[in-house]
Amino acid sequence: MKINLNYILVMKSYKKWMVAGCLGLVSVTTNAQLTLTGEVRPRAEYRNGFKTPMDSSQTNAFFVDQRTRLNFGYKVKDYEFYVSAQDVRVWGSTAQLNVSDGFLSLYEAWAKANFNENWGLKLGRQEITYDDQRIFGGVGWAQQARSHDAALLQFKNEKSKLDVAVAFNQANAGLTGTGYNGPSSYRDMYYAWYNHKISQKIETSWLLLGLGREAEPKVYTYVSTFGTHTKFNFDKFKLNFNGFYQFGSDISNYTDTDGKTSKKGYNGYLVGLDMKYQLSEPFGIGLGYELQSGTSQTDTTDSYNSVNHSFSPWFGTNHKFNGVMDYFYVG
């Protein structure tokens, strides 16, 4: 019996691929591929009212921060492995004779088993993005970006894709209980995302997302988000539609005018529409509108204030949509 093992080191740079080495021993076909990629992204920032308005006693901020990543990918037969080590720091934040620091972290670390050409299971820390990133985004504009610890079952064929995921977060390996007040915004999460190409011109996606959160141990709330992202592509004219509804219980309590305390409800919505017409290369004209539900500052009735009416895009790349209105969600 003859065995053939191929090890290929692929180094990627901007618009270039280079095969650095290949080693083999004869026949059969067990091929393994190792990819090594990297990223260095320094960025100078001048801040004048970012995140919160400045008052007259404050001065503008200026600094240089940098994201550095080293990515390892490994594929062999029906399995994939991927690790992305990340370092995010501001120039000058560590001493020149630095011994150690806490800036290095793992942005992604996952393994995937491909059962066949249609089904696969992905486990570990991973970036999750869908559609126009309104609800799930990688937030790549932020140096640290966003990733989740989750188990993701995936299906795909020529016209459809289905992702079903579950996640359960804990701050440490405890001996008792499952209370969670760690750095994540949720204790447990599930979602199902379905995408279907109706035709060459119409494509639709549907998302059902559930988040379980805890303000403190034994105080548990659940919010569900359901909606669609549908896009139409008619040659020079493109149209995208977002429609989402949120319901469930809020993480905070409400005390009514009689002094009775109860768990707040949750009821929010988002409707968005954007259009683009390609005049000629490279010029186009676009028009967009988005409406998110919010909480009234004038309605003081118990029936109204016992419910949170503010829609939350949860993990969306908000800067892409809000721009200078980042005060609502940034950070």
Side-chain angles (χ1 to χ4, degrees):
M1 178 178 176
K2 297 178 180 179
I3 299 175
N4 182 29
L5 297 174
N6 294 318
Y7 295 94
I8 302 174
L9 176 63
V10 180
M11 300 184 69
K12 183 181 178 183
S13 60
Y14 183 63
K15 293 186 177 178
K16 292 181 181 178
W17 285 88
M18 180 176 70
V19 178
C22 178
L23 174 65
L25 275 167
V26 232
S27 208
V28 212
T29 49
T30 305
N31 295 318
Q33 179 174 306
L34 173 68
T35 54
L36 173 62
T37 64
E39 175 189 7
V40 177
R41 190 173 84 167
R43 182 170 67 194
E45 294 189 31
Y46 175 81
R47 293 183 172 181
N48 181 6
F50 177 66
K51 287 193 179 183
T52 180
M54 295 171 58
D55 61 40
S56 58
S57 65
Q58 296 173 315
T59 59
N60 301 326
F62 179 78
F63 58 89
V64 179
D65 60 355
Q66 179 174 312
R67 177 170 83 192
T68 307
R69 285 182 183 170
L70 188 59
N71 310 311
F72 302 88
Y74 183 73
K75 293 182 181 181
V76 56
K77 204 174 180 181
D78 300 324
Y79 299 95
E80 299 176 45
F81 305 91
Y82 186 80
V83 175
S84 177
Q86 173 175 277
D87 180 280
V88 178
R89 69 182 67 213
V90 175
W91 285 9
S93 61
T94 52
Q96 293 149 13
L97 297 175
N98 185 44
V99 176
S100 64
D101 54 54
F103 293 106
L104 186 65
S105 64
L106 283 179
Y107 178 61
E108 291 191 84
W110 53 263
K112 183 179 180 182
N114 296 305
F115 305 131
N116 52 45
E117 62 180 10
N118 301 117
W119 290 93
L121 178 64
K122 188 176 179 182
L123 301 171
R125 190 161 187 84
Q126 54 194 280
E127 184 179 88
I128 299 176
T129 64
Y130 291 112
D131 303 314
D132 62 351
Q133 301 192 40
R134 196 66 189 99
I135 305 297
F136 272 108
V139 199
W141 71 273
Q143 294 285 54
Q144 72 278 7
R146 172 185 280 127
S147 52
H148 301 254
D149 298 308
L152 173 61
L153 180 66
Q154 297 181 302
F155 169 83
K156 64 179 180 179
N157 59 25
E158 291 183 358
K159 289 190 174 183
S160 300
K161 296 177 183 178
L162 174 65
D163 284 7
V164 178
V166 293
F168 187 82
N169 291 318
Q170 292 289 279
N172 50 53
L175 296 176
T176 60
T178 57
Y180 182 75
N181 57 356
S184 173
S185 59
Y186 58 87
R187 189 192 76 174
D188 52 88
M189 173 183 74
Y190 77 84
Y191 73 81
W193 173 82
Y194 176 71
N195 172 270
H196 182 69
K197 293 182 179 179
I198 299 174
S199 67
Q200 291 184 342
K201 298 182 182 297
I202 304 174
E203 182 176 338
T204 185
S205 296
W206 292 85
L207 175 69
L208 175 61
L209 165 66
L211 293 175
R213 302 180 296 164
E214 285 185 314
E216 57 186 71
K218 299 182 180 180
V219 179
Y220 181 79
T221 62
Y222 214 84
V223 178
S224 297
T225 303
F226 177 71
T228 182
H229 171 81
T230 301
K231 54 186 180 182
F232 306 84
N233 187 353
F234 301 106
D235 300 323
K236 291 186 176 182
F237 178 72
K238 295 178 175 61
L239 186 148
N240 295 319
F241 171 77
N242 280 327
F244 292 96
Y245 173 65
Q246 290 178 337
F247 56 95
S249 55
D250 191 25
I251 201 166
S252 59
N253 293 325
Y254 175 70
T255 303
D256 61 23
T257 53
D258 295 327
K260 182 180 179 182
T261 300
S262 60
K263 182 59 62 180
K264 263 191 175 184
Y266 209 107
N267 193 322
Y269 62 86
L270 176 149
V271 177
L273 186 69
D274 63 85
M275 298 170 285
K276 181 181 178 182
Y277 183 77
Q278 195 71 38
L279 298 173
S280 62
E281 290 294 343
F283 300 104
I285 184 171
L287 179 67
Y289 176 81
E290 182 174 270
L291 174 66
Q292 295 184 37
S293 63
T295 300
S296 171
Q297 302 301 302
T298 57
D299 193 334
T300 59
T301 61
D302 287 333
S303 59
Y304 181 84
N305 288 319
S306 61
V307 176
N308 186 345
H309 298 273
S310 298
F311 182 88
S312 174
W314 296 126
F315 316 114
T317 304
N318 298 308
H319 184 69
K320 173 183 176 181
F321 299 91
N322 299 331
V324 296
M325 296 189 297
D326 259 349
Y327 295 125
F328 289 105
Y329 297 117
V330 76

